[in-house]
Amino acid sequence: MGLPIFKKRIGIDLGTAYTLVYVKGKGIVLNEPSVISVYKNSNRVVDVGRGAKKMIGRAPYYIDVIRPLRYGVISELSYAVLMLKEFLERADVKPGFFSSLETIVCVPSAVSTVDKKAVLDLSYELGSRKAFLIAEPIAAAIGAGMEIFEAIGSFIMDIGGGTSESAIISLGGLVVNEITSVAGDRMNEEIIRFFKSEYKILIGEQMAESIKINLGIVENPTEKFFAKGRDLVTGLPKGIEISASEIRVALLPLVDEIVRVLKETLVKANPEILSDISERGLVLSGGGSLIKGLDTYIRDKLEIPVIFAPDPLFSVINGIATVFKDLSKYLSVLTQMES
Ligand SMILES: Nc1ncnc2c1ncn2[C@@H]1O[C@H](COP(=O)(O)OP(=O)(O)OP(=O)(O)O)[C@@H](O)[C@H]1O
Ligand SMILES: [Mg+2]
């Protein structure tokens, strides 16, 4: 009789903006911003997650604050590994001597082989024996409770911080999928650019995100937000009241790019699938989809029903949790690599 091996199954939604960790038998044990801060000279971790996010734009010169993912891909692999190791430690997840770790990590569906390899390398760095990848829109669709194995077209778009991905899924596979880097982060950047060009005020990333979340893309000249930044002419602090209508004008070109991607997806689908979709509509998931006014804007442009996934911020991790409950059923939607 050999030594008992306890399998630890861990799901990771390694998002550009947020990282979520699921442990089978425990549930979701971590939900933190994908940010790490380190001492510049030693690379020792100062903080990760919420604490590190607060340091963006505020850290002393000897601390680096890093977002290891950009536009849905790992841009700083070593920091992504460091961040995840710290997250797993905080969530009390250690592979241990007598247990073997199995991981499922979600990646954007259009990710390159090099990026896939980076995520798999990362999984092994964490101590995985078996590492699976799952495409983000498929995980989101499963998490949203869509019947992906039926011979019916399911239409989903996940709008995160770094990517917006649309997919039509039928019979357990991607029939059509499209991706754009226009998502939450690009909207924040656009708001920063707008303040610079219109008001000669420099605002920070976190201020831009607050403006986006508070005002959205609704047509409402009376709804306002008091934004604070630095006057680019005098160099001094300056505040200004901005209306929802102004932010709408600034963000609409980006929203239209998301609509274009959705249309492109529909154009590529065949008529049977289109008739399924005109009945069942589009399901939205991901934090970026929560921007006020987006669902009605898309509904007007596409003329199909638009509904939200039950827990838009948790769709991907809930999907991974469902996969772990019945691995053999979902094996065909996973990419597997064994160490
Ligand atoms: N209520 C809201 N209104 C507008 N935007 C929001 C809201 N809540 C969250 N967001 C935005 O959602 C984005 C994060 O969403 P999410 O956590 O799904 O992304 P992610 O999974 O980390 O990114 P990706 O999947 O692209 O790698 C951020 O850009 C954030 O500003
Ligand atoms: Mg995501």
Side-chain angles (χ1 to χ4, degrees):
M1 208 177 79
L3 286 170
I5 297 281
F6 300 105
K7 280 214 173 102
K8 253 192 195 150
R9 297 196 157 116
I10 295 175
I12 303 172
D13 173 3
L14 184 57
T16 308
Y18 282 85
T19 299
L20 287 86
V21 177
Y22 163 86
V23 177
K24 191 166 185 228
K26 281 193 183 168
I28 296 167
V29 295
L30 184 124
N31 178 12
E32 293 271 350
S34 306
V35 186
I36 177 170
S37 56
V38 296
Y39 291 106
K40 255 184 200 156
N41 56 4
S42 65
N43 253 353
R44 220 157 41 81
V45 178
V46 180
D47 209 344
V48 288
R50 272 176 196 87
K53 188 178 179 182
K54 282 208 191 99
M55 294 179 184
I56 294 177
R58 295 197 175 100
Y61 67 90
Y62 52 87
I63 289 176
D64 263 340
V65 186
I66 302 141
R67 290 185 55 193
L69 288 104
R70 286 281 164 174
Y71 309 117
V73 297
I74 300 177
S75 50
E76 304 265 6
L77 182 61
S78 59
Y79 288 113
V81 173
L82 211 56
M83 179 184 77
L84 265 181
K85 279 189 173 161
E86 186 74 22
F87 278 153
L88 293 184
E89 207 159 287
R90 287 186 182 192
D92 208 22
V93 180
K94 292 176 206 93
F97 191 66
F98 292 115
S99 64
S100 73
L101 192 63
E102 269 182 29
T103 51
I104 300 181
V105 184
C106 98
V107 291
S109 51
V111 83
S112 69
T113 321
V114 175
D115 293 326
K116 271 188 193 161
K117 173 107 181 15
V119 177
L120 286 167
D121 286 349
L122 180 146
S123 309
Y124 297 128
E125 279 266 350
L126 298 174
S128 293
R129 289 277 183 82
K130 257 190 194 171
F132 300 97
L133 300 180
I134 188 166
E136 186 156 24
I138 292 194
I142 297 169
M146 298 167 98
E147 291 297 340
I148 63 155
F149 290 110
E150 275 180 27
I152 292 176
S154 295
F155 189 22
I156 186 157
M157 180 176 244
D158 183 275
I159 306 177
T163 55
S164 296
E165 289 184 74
S166 74
I168 297 172
I169 304 162
S170 172
L171 293 165
L174 289 169
V175 177
V176 191
N177 64 298
E178 293 286 322
I179 189 164
T180 170
S181 64
V182 171
D185 286 348
R186 292 280 292 274
M187 293 192 186
N188 298 349
E189 287 162 20
E190 186 54 34
I191 292 174
I192 293 172
R193 206 197 55 74
F194 170 81
F195 271 85
K196 241 190 234 163
S197 67
E198 292 296 306
Y199 294 105
K200 306 278 176 288
I201 294 176
L202 182 67
I203 61 163
E205 205 177 313
Q206 301 198 58
M207 177 60 64
E209 185 174 37
S210 299
I211 295 167
K212 173 185 73 177
I213 292 175
N214 278 281
L215 298 178
I217 56 151
V218 288
E219 177 64 76
N220 187 346
T222 55
E223 198 172 332
K224 300 208 189 283
F225 188 88
F226 193 73
K228 284 174 269 181
R230 181 225 305 268
D231 187 320
L232 282 169
V233 180
T234 65
L236 298 173
K238 188 170 177 182
I240 183 175
E241 207 170 49
I242 194 100
S243 78
S245 304
E246 282 176 278
I247 295 302
R248 175 183 162 93
V249 170
L251 292 183
L252 272 195
L254 296 181
V255 175
D256 284 334
E257 164 64 9
I258 290 175
V259 170
R260 187 196 63 75
V261 164
L262 287 167
K263 282 187 178 160
E264 189 74 20
T265 314
L266 290 175
V267 165
K268 289 183 179 163
N270 66 34
E272 281 80 6
I273 291 228
L274 280 184
S275 92
D276 298 340
I277 290 169
S278 59
E279 233 170 78
R280 301 180 142 214
L282 167 72
V283 171
L284 291 175
S285 69
S289 74
L290 297 175
I291 188 162
K292 278 184 206 160
L294 181 72
D295 55 333
T296 40
Y297 189 81
I298 295 175
R299 194 175 298 135
D300 290 347
K301 295 282 174 184
L302 298 185
E303 296 179 356
I304 57 168
V306 177
I307 52 171
F308 284 102
D311 276 314
L313 288 163
F314 294 90
S315 304
V316 167
I317 201 78
N318 285 341
I320 293 175
T322 303
V323 169
F324 269 136
K325 280 183 196 122
D326 194 347
L327 258 185
S328 55
K329 174 178 172 189
Y330 289 102
L331 214 50
S332 60
V333 303
L334 301 174
T335 312
Q336 187 194 353
M337 297 274 245
E338 276 187 62
S339 68

